[in-house]
Amino acid sequence: MNSGDRERYSRQILFPGVGEQGQQHLLDARVAVAGCGALGSFQAGALARAGVGFLRIIDRDYVELSNLQRQWLFDECDVEQGLPKAEAAARKIAEINRGVRVEPVVADLTPSNVEDLLGGVDLVLDGTDNFETRYLINDFAVERGVPWVYGAAVGSYGIAMPVIPGQTACLRCLYPDPPAGAQPTCETAGVLGSVTALIASWQVSEAIKILCCLPSGTAPARKITTVDVWSGEIRQVAQPGPVADCPACGRREFPYLAGERRAPVSLCGHNAVQIHERERPLELRDLAARLAPLGAVRANEFALRFEAPPYMLTIFPDGRAIIKGTTDVGVARSLYARYIGA
Ligand SMILES: [Zn+2]
């Protein structure tokens, strides 16, 4: 640590939980931020300020005007320039802390690139907006013994939980399978910027505790935390240890890593992609009510049609969907996650 570092991080070093040794661990740390939306952009900025030495920021989307209400690192110039979020984040961080090495990656995290994108890091922060990617992160992290911090927020509600393989329960210990049916998303249910900042900040605190390598016995007890900033409720439960018959921790089965749980996708006719989801029974009338404020919807018992120009989604009761207006599989998956919840 040089004298500049000592000055920059002086207040954090003074805090006994971090100290000079903890700060050195942060400077040496390599962290992946998976998803750079509301949670990820806050996490990336906060970790850069805290002095985490290397950040890989993974996100496939571009900064849009509707992001600015809650995505802390971005501004109107990023929207005007149409910058990818990962790249915009890297530029902002270069202005905040030149000492941090940032690797922006404009891509979706998938079973085929997870090794490249999450390999070689000390910790993964969940900034994703869908369960498919979270289960992929969990599989990777448990298989490799890499800690990660789960977080999610929608509406005024949020949840955060650290996963330390071998020490704590993992995501599949608690939820062996992703939730069924359509899920509320920020697109359909809205979200307050304050709850995303709160959850992201909580995740960053957990990350710093893990990265400071606190000697065993001095680390604070791990907890699962849920908050609702509107009702004002906060709940915490002690986080259990690994569950013996958990498919991931216990039986060491990693279907998400192998891509087995990913709904197959095919190009479908001219300028359309089909997502062959068959295990996500949907109540089309409920979904229609949720989507109605966002665009034209028509639904009967056989199919739902939703217009999100330039795209049109046709959704079937078993969860299958045809997304018209693109041949890009990543765009199709992203629209599915936004409007149906994945
Ligand atoms: Zn587990």
Side-chain angles (χ1 to χ4, degrees):
M1 215 183 301
N2 57 37
S3 60
D5 286 341
R6 271 180 229 284
E7 168 67 18
R8 178 187 284 264
Y9 306 115
S10 56
R11 305 304 189 271
Q12 194 165 274
I13 292 169
L14 270 173
F15 176 71
V18 176
E20 191 157 322
Q21 202 184 11
Q23 186 62 51
Q24 190 59 54
H25 285 304
L26 294 177
L27 291 167
D28 295 338
R30 296 170 58 87
V31 172
V33 175
C36 194
L39 298 177
S41 61
F42 187 101
Q43 294 158 2
L47 290 174
R49 287 181 194 275
V52 167
F54 172 85
L55 292 173
R56 185 177 292 135
I57 301 176
I58 306 155
D59 195 291
R60 62 156 286 122
D61 288 332
Y62 291 74
V63 185
E64 294 173 36
L65 189 59
S66 65
N67 301 151
L68 300 186
Q69 164 252 356
R70 64 194 179 285
Q71 302 193 10
W72 288 77
L73 272 187
F74 308 133
D75 60 33
E76 292 178 3
C77 287
D78 301 323
V79 178
E80 280 156 22
Q81 292 182 61
L83 285 181
K85 291 181 181 181
E87 179 60 34
R91 292 185 189 186
K92 289 283 156 37
I93 289 171
E95 291 170 11
I96 293 167
N97 188 346
R98 269 174 298 170
V100 176
R101 200 152 66 82
V102 182
E103 194 180 293
V105 180
V106 183
D108 259 334
L109 192 60
T110 66
S112 56
N113 64 18
V114 68
E115 169 75 49
D116 288 342
L117 299 188
L118 301 188
V121 301
D122 303 306
L123 181 135
V124 179
L125 269 168
D126 173 18
T128 66
D129 59 359
N130 66 84
F131 278 98
E132 191 173 21
T133 314
R134 289 191 184 105
Y135 278 75
L136 174 62
I137 294 172
N138 190 70
D139 262 12
F140 182 87
V142 171
E143 207 252 345
R144 298 298 168 86
V146 177
W148 72 284
V149 188
Y150 163 56
V154 68
S156 59
Y157 169 86
I159 179 165
M161 172 180 89
V163 174
I164 305 170
Q167 290 182 35
T168 71
C170 79
L171 187 63
R172 293 197 81 192
C173 288
L174 301 171
Y175 312 105
D177 294 298
Q183 295 300 311
T185 70
C186 295
E187 273 69 24
T188 58
V191 65
L192 293 175
S194 56
V195 73
T196 57
L198 197 158
I199 290 298
S201 185
W202 201 273
Q203 289 177 279
V204 166
S205 308
E206 292 297 336
I208 287 176
K209 282 188 266 181
I210 295 166
L211 293 172
C212 281
C213 302
L214 301 172
S216 58
T218 65
R222 315 282 179 195
K223 288 177 182 152
I224 303 167
T225 304
T226 58
V227 298
D228 187 320
V229 295
W230 204 254
S231 70
E233 278 170 60
I234 303 176
R235 279 193 199 170
Q236 289 193 303
V237 293
Q239 190 173 5
V243 171
D245 67 345
C246 165
C249 301
R251 302 206 297 269
R252 313 267 322 151
E253 296 162 4
F254 303 110
Y256 296 90
L257 207 49
E260 290 161 10
R261 292 290 172 87
R262 209 164 152 82
V265 165
S266 62
L267 294 181
C268 161
H270 177 63
N271 202 26
V273 172
Q274 180 163 190
I275 298 186
H276 298 262
E277 181 66 77
R278 296 199 183 279
E279 292 173 17
R280 178 182 288 274
L282 298 170
E283 277 300 328
L284 294 184
R285 288 185 199 284
D286 293 350
L287 185 60
R290 265 189 221 183
L291 294 174
L294 305 173
V297 188
R298 273 188 305 153
N300 57 31
E301 64 206 279
F302 307 109
L304 177 155
R305 241 180 206 196
F306 171 59
E307 287 174 39
Y311 310 106
M312 187 163 73
L313 283 71
T314 306
I315 301 158
F316 301 94
D318 58 0
R320 187 165 56 91
I322 294 171
I323 289 117
K324 233 182 173 168
T326 184
T327 52
D328 183 329
V329 167
V331 168
R333 284 195 192 275
S334 162
L335 289 165
Y336 193 96
R338 270 190 191 194
Y339 293 116
I340 302 169

